[in-house]
Structure formats: structure tokens, C-alpha cells
Amino acid sequence: MKRFDGLRIGRHHVGPGHPCYIIAEIGINHNGKRDLGEQIIKAAASTGANAVKFQNYRTEDFLSDKTLTYRYVVDGHSKEQSQFDLFKQCEMSYEDLVAYRKTAEYFGLDFISTPTSMRGVDDLVSIDAAAIKNGSDFLGNLPLLKHMANSGLPTIVSTGMATAEEIDEAVGCFPGQKPILLHCISMYPAPMSELNLLKIPTLASATGCLTGYSDHSLGSQSAALATALGACVIEKHFTLDHALPGPDHSMSTTPQEMAELVRSIREAEMALGSSQLAPAAGEAHSRDQYRLSCVADRNLSAGTVVAENDIVYHRPGGGIKPAEAGSLVGRKLGHAVDRGHLFKWSDFQ
């Protein structure tokens, strides 16, 4: 399938030939406190990330059973909490959304958020968000995906837990501009043995969409590997401190860790370089020094007809190539040469 070439998110071009677009996923790590959320945005700006992402959900959009609990780790200790209460305390108001959008812009970051309703999509349109992100849990909500497709905003869709059929159904909701698909493993944290990063190029070839990676693993290695496999967007959870209360802080990156992740991705991009089958620009000196040339194996007098056993192949390069040695055999020298002389075409009559 023909691949979608690219699009623009906020102030950035995203797609082949452009730097990987890096999202610091704040999610619910603001803990329902606007001042904390704004501190995290400011910290994200110092890491080299391109965007911050929040979640402008309403708990009732996806959860009604108040008996469901969630167990997570806070500062090394296990904690169990009502899912409903947990999500409810981290909801954002429309005023929060506006404030975070302005703060992100002030610090040079694009603002992205994940809504859970059509009204949430409309709110993001009204504040001119850079993009919409659909979470893996909402991949099957096709009416919401269609509303995202009609919003006019670039849409990023995570594919955690999804089958091929479910991904096709989701992409089918976008008859115009295709979404960016993020490979994702919905485990927190996700172990290296479960990452299956080879799905990234498979997603691209199967759907024609730009692809990326929502990284729930620890460290920065998998993000760099994903970049090498063609990911044009990387999303990573972000916090100020692993010890803050809440379910995601322990597996999120701190400012120092996010800066390292960004550095790893940019180094991966540099290392990928060009696919052209030609010497690298910096190899010109190496070719001259390390390649071999046709060299005289003994002292030869003027008029000598060069034989095959008069030629050996020694460093440096820059002389007649070994592949051209056959063209020297049978030629007559116009002047004497010493053993070790690099043959030149001008040596011959």
C-alpha cells in the first residue's frame, strides 16, 4: 500500500525526511493540580521534546462500576485505589485545558490531548490544539474516531491490544487525511520481551499510514530502536518525580531521563543517515589511506615490459586500482621505478 508522505502538527513537519516528533505524555501526572501540570510542562520544554499531551476525559465516559480498583506502585510501595476516584480526581476542566494550552505555547511546545467524548474533541478544536490523540482503550469507539476525523485536526491513534481487523476498522474512519498510528503495548511498564517493535514497519506497509511508538517500557533503548524502524512519532510518559503520588509516576521519565531519551533518538537519526550505496562523506581520507594500489614488487628498469608477478597490492590508495592490474600487464615502462613505487598511467610509454 502506498504510504502517506507526511503532515504538519503545530510548528513541526512529521513524516519521512523530518526529525522524529517527540511527545512528553503528561497524561494524569498533574494529579488534578494545575500548578503541578504547568511545572511539568515547563520541565518538558527543557528536555528537547516537541509536544506535551494531556487527557481531557470525563470519568463517566468510560467507567461506571465504582467497585473496580487499580493497584500500582508509589515510591516503592504498593497501593490499591478505586479506579473511579482515581480518574475523577485527575479530570481537567475546560479552563485547565485553556491554561495548559497557553503554557505549552509560551514554552514553545505543541499541545495535544486525548478526549473521551465528542464534546472533548470539540473543546480541543475550540482551543486550537495541535493534534488529537486517541487512546488504545478507545480504538473500538468508531463514532468518536469519525468525529476526530471530521475535526480538521491531525489525529494520532494508539493501537495497543488491537487486532489487525480492529486497526483496519479504525483507519477506515479516516477517508481523507489518514491518522498517525502508534504501535503500543498496553502494559505498565512493558517488558522488553513483549515490545514487538517489528510491528512498526508492518503497520506502515499494511495501512499506508505514518507510524510511531507509544513507549511504555523503561529506559530509552526501545525508543531509539523504534526510530531506526521508521517511527516518526515517539510518545513517552513524563513526570517531575517518580515518587509523586499517582499510578503513572513510577514508570514515567523524569526530566533528566526524557532528555536522555531525546538525545538517544537524535543520535539514532544521525546514525541512520543515508541509504545511498556510496562512501560516506567522511571516508574520502580513509579511502586514500586504507585502500590498495598497484605497486612495483621489484626495481624495474626503463623499457621493462611489466609482467603479472611484477605487481603487488599495497597501501595507500590513490594509485591504479587492483581491479585494473590486468591493463598494466604487457605495458612498457617509460622510465625506471623502484620497488614499492605506486604505478601511474604516466609511467608507461
Side-chain angles (χ1 to χ4, degrees), residues 45-65:
S46 70
T47 68
N50 305 116
V52 289
K53 191 186 83 65
F54 285 81
Q55 298 174 12
N56 60 312
Y57 62 84
R58 291 294 172 264
T59 306
E60 290 82 0
D61 291 338
F62 59 91
L63 189 59
S64 56
D65 186 349

Side-chain angles (χ1 to χ4, degrees), residues 31 61 104 158 171 214 217 278 282 300-301 313 320:
N31 291 352
D61 291 338
S158 273
V171 173
S214 182
S217 69
L300 299 173
S301 58
Y313 311 128
I320 297 173

Side-chain angles (χ1 to χ4, degrees), residues 1-7 149 153-157 171-181 204-210:
M1 181 179 292
K2 183 179 179 181
R3 183 166 178 176
F4 178 44
D5 289 333
L7 51 73
L153 294 179
T155 303
I156 303 168
V157 176
V171 173
C173 295
F174 295 80
Q177 180 173 281
K178 292 184 176 182
I180 298 174
L181 298 180
S205 61
T207 65
C209 294
L210 296 177

Side-chain angles (χ1 to χ4, degrees), residues 4-52:
F4 178 44
D5 289 333
L7 51 73
R8 189 175 182 90
I9 298 179
R11 65 202 74 194
H12 302 278
H13 289 285
V14 179
H18 299 287
C20 185
Y21 186 78
I22 303 172
I23 303 170
E25 156 72 309
I26 296 172
I28 62 173
N29 281 343
H30 54 84
N31 291 352
K33 300 175 182 178
R34 188 187 296 179
D35 60 340
L36 177 58
E38 292 185 337
Q39 289 177 47
I40 301 176
I41 293 173
K42 180 180 179 180
S46 70
T47 68
N50 305 116
V52 289

Side-chain angles (χ1 to χ4, degrees), residues 198-235:
L198 288 175
K199 286 186 178 180
I200 294 170
T202 300
L203 269 177
S205 61
T207 65
C209 294
L210 296 177
T211 56
Y213 177 47
S214 182
D215 183 11
H216 294 157
S217 69
L218 300 178
S220 60
Q221 181 180 13
S222 65
L225 290 171
T227 304
L229 288 168
C232 63
V233 174
I234 297 291
E235 176 188 66

